[in-house]
């Protein structure tokens, strides 16, 4: 069974009825396997938050259906085993971290006996044990994010949905969130998170979907997506003559020059061997020689272009 | 499905949070301070201009409680609900396995609690001043204050109803308008009844029966005159307010359920 399933999901916003309707989602189909980390990626305005709000029951789809586990999102029970961290950190500022978790634990119906221990454990886990008695209004951005994560995990959720969990955090904070997401998978939970920071996603996702202008344009296992059209090598050299640079450029799949340095991408090993010989003969220096690999960023930029955005 | 006990428990959690917010944001204290100041000063001013009279003290004091109480009910009710939506704190609450109507019910109960604190404080202050002035304290005063509280609760239901589908500014204006008209319905009906125009008579009559008739909850004049009303009259008024509020809350819940949270 899928942890999350979307079928033909569409959402059209109307600001006022004389305004042009805005198609935020145009038929999104997705299926997230249980126990996996799923990255929902795409540029700003692509429809990530809209999708997540439908999944968490905050907005109603114009068409299509969505399920968490085997329950449609229309029924509140579908959110019983769901943990959610919204985009931005909009929490009841007048509460202390502890009171905030207490309130949400009570809304989840966690019995009093378990509540205390579970909240304590989570506060320690997210590193807020020392600040739990402070009002959230005095928290830093990173601390707010962490109390939000603690809140999302209170109900021992099977599915955790995080909207841009790493945006606005410093490198250390991003790393912590990444580690936490990996830990959640270890514990057998499904994690669905959105991001426009692709480097973060690349390191931890099992599967990804790329959404552009309200449509999913690419979906699958990261290794498959990036592996496609792989092969070939990337060669970086220094101190080539102009003439040799021209020559190697012609032989390569792709080439970039910057000052003394040149980068070439070759499709097969024979050409690389020849190129290396020529570089040495020319008195150039080999800086690096690595297998060429598409990054997630390449993929997203490529797919965004093909849909005619940015 | 959730059991009734679980639902009630969640509503109380949300109500408690609303009350706590009012206390923590010092909103409650500021309003209380202001209201008490107004009650005391209006009684003192009345004495200065109109002379010493138990009836005038009671009348002015009750009017002050009703007037300030209503303004507080309307603006605090709308303020605390729209705050949740504007500041997006509603997101994580509604992403819990709870029905949207429970959120609304929790807000309503919490606001009723805030108003209870207000009315008790204003009422105590008012009775204290009367006692200091040596005026007689009758059972009718308690009836009047009780029904003022009932009116405030009804206004809160009205404010929540408007807040579910329009901006906080318009919701405030609509509720204020209903408050004013709600106190004029009797006069309006009398005016219509004496009119020659049949359609006007029909209009005032139908308004009389559909809009919240706040004069039914008004025992200020009787209480000021030192009279105590019959229990059955008070109970009918309470039942009327309860039914009307419930109707408003049900309508509000059905609108709130359809709403998108951006
Ligand atoms: N309430 C709304 N009214 C009108 N347009 C909206 C509303 N919310 C989102 N949109 C539009 O829908 C598109 C998708 O938005 P969103 O889902 O927030 O994107 P993302 O989270 O991927 O950045 C955007 O173009 C945005 O401007
Ligand atoms: Mg977003």
């Amino acid at each position: 069974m899928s942890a999350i399933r979307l079928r033909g999901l569409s959402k059209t916003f109307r600001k006022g009825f004389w305004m042009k309707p805005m198609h935020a989602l145009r038929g999104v189909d997705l299926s997230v396997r249980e126990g996996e980390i799923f990255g929902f990626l795409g540029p700003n305005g692509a429809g990530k938050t809209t999708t997540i709000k439908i999944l968490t029951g905050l907005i109603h789809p114009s068409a299509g259906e969505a399920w968490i586990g085997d329950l449609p999102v229309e029924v509140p029970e579908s959110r019983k085993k769901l943990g959610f961290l919204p985009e931005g950190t909009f929490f009841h500022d007048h509460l202390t971290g502890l009171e905030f978790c207490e309130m949400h634990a009570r809304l989840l119906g966690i019995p009093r006996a378990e509540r205390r221990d579970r909240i304590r454990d989570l506060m320690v886990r997210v590193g807020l044990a020392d600040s739990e008695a402070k009002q959230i209004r005095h928290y830093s951005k990173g601390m707010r994010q962490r109390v939000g994560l603690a809140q999302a995990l209170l109900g021992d959720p099977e599915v955790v949905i995080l909207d841009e969990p790493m945006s606005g955090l410093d490198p250390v904070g991003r790393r912590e969130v990444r580690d936490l997401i990996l830990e959640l998978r270890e514990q057998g939970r499904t994690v669905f998170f959105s991001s426009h920071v692709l480097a973060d996603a690349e390191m931890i996702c099992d599967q990804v979907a790329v959404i552009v202008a309200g449509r999913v344009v690419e979906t699958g296992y990261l290794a498959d997506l990036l592996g496609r059209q792989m092969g070939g090598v990337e060669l970086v050299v220094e101190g080539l003559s102009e003439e040799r640079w021209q020559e190697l450029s012609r032989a390569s799949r792709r080439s970039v020059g910057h000052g003394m340095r040149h980068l070439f991408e070759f499709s097969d090993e024979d050409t690389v061997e020849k190129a290396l010989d020529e570089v040495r003969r020319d008195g150039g220096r080999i800086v690096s020689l690595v297998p060429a690999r598409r990054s997630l960023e390449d993929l997203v930029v490529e797919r965004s272009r093909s849909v005619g955005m940015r | 499905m959730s059991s009734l006990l679980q639902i009630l428990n969640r509503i109380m959690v949300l109500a408690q949070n609303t009350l706590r917010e009012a206390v923590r944001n010092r909103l409650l204290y500021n309003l209380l301070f202001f209201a008490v100041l107004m009650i005391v000063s209006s009684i003192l001013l009345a004495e200065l201009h109109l002379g010493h009279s138990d009836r005038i003290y009671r009348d002015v004091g009750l009017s002050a409680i009703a007037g300030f109480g209503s303004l507080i009910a309307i603006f605090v009710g709308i303020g605390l609900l729209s705050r949740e939506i504007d500041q997006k704190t509603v997101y994580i609450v509604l992403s819990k396995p709870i029905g949207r109507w429970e959120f609304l019910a929790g807000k309503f109960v919490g606001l009723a609690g805030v108003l209870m604190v207000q009315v008790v404080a204003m009422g105590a202050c008012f009775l204290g001043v009367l006692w200091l002035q040596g005026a007689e304290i009758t059972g009718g005063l308690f009836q009047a204050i009780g029904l003022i509280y009932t009116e405030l609760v009804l206004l809160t239901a009205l404010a929540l109803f408007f807040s579910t589908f329009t901006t906080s500014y318009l919701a405030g204006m609509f509720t204020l308008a209903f408050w004013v008209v709600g106190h004029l319905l009797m006069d309006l009906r009398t005016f219509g009844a004496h009119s020659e125009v049949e359609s006007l008579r029909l209009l005032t009559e139908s308004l009389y029966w559909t809009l919240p008739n706040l004069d039914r909850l008004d025992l200020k004049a009787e209480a000021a005159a030192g009279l105590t009303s019959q229990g059955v009259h008070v109970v009918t008024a309470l039942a009327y307010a309860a039914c009307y509020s419930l109707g408003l809350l049900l309508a509000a819940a059905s609108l709130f359920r359809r709403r998108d949270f951006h």
Side-chain angles (χ1 to χ4, degrees), chain A residues 49 87 163-164:
Chain A
T49 298
E87 185 178 21
D163 197 0
E164 303 274 358

Side-chain angles (χ1 to χ4, degrees), chain A residues 11 57 60 94 99 151, chain B residues 24 84 96 100 257 260:
Chain A
K11 180 68 188 179
H60 306 288
H94 63 277
E99 288 167 342
Q151 169 275 139
Chain B
R24 292 263 168 96
E84 295 255 14
K96 294 287 177 296
R100 287 192 179 176
R257 200 165 63 88
D260 281 348

Side-chain angles (χ1 to χ4, degrees), chain A residues 43-50 52 87 163-164 194 196:
Chain A
N44 284 327
K48 303 183 293 295
T49 298
T50 303
I52 287 177
E87 185 178 21
D163 197 0
E164 303 274 358
S194 76
H196 64 275

Side-chain angles (χ1 to χ4, degrees), chain A residues 6 14 98 123 154 159 194 200 202 241 265 267 282 305:
Chain A
L6 308 178
R14 269 172 207 283
L98 201 60
M123 287 308 236
L154 273 173
V159 179
S194 76
D200 292 323
E202 194 161 0
S241 67
E265 209 176 282
S267 333
D282 206 44
R305 277 214 194 97

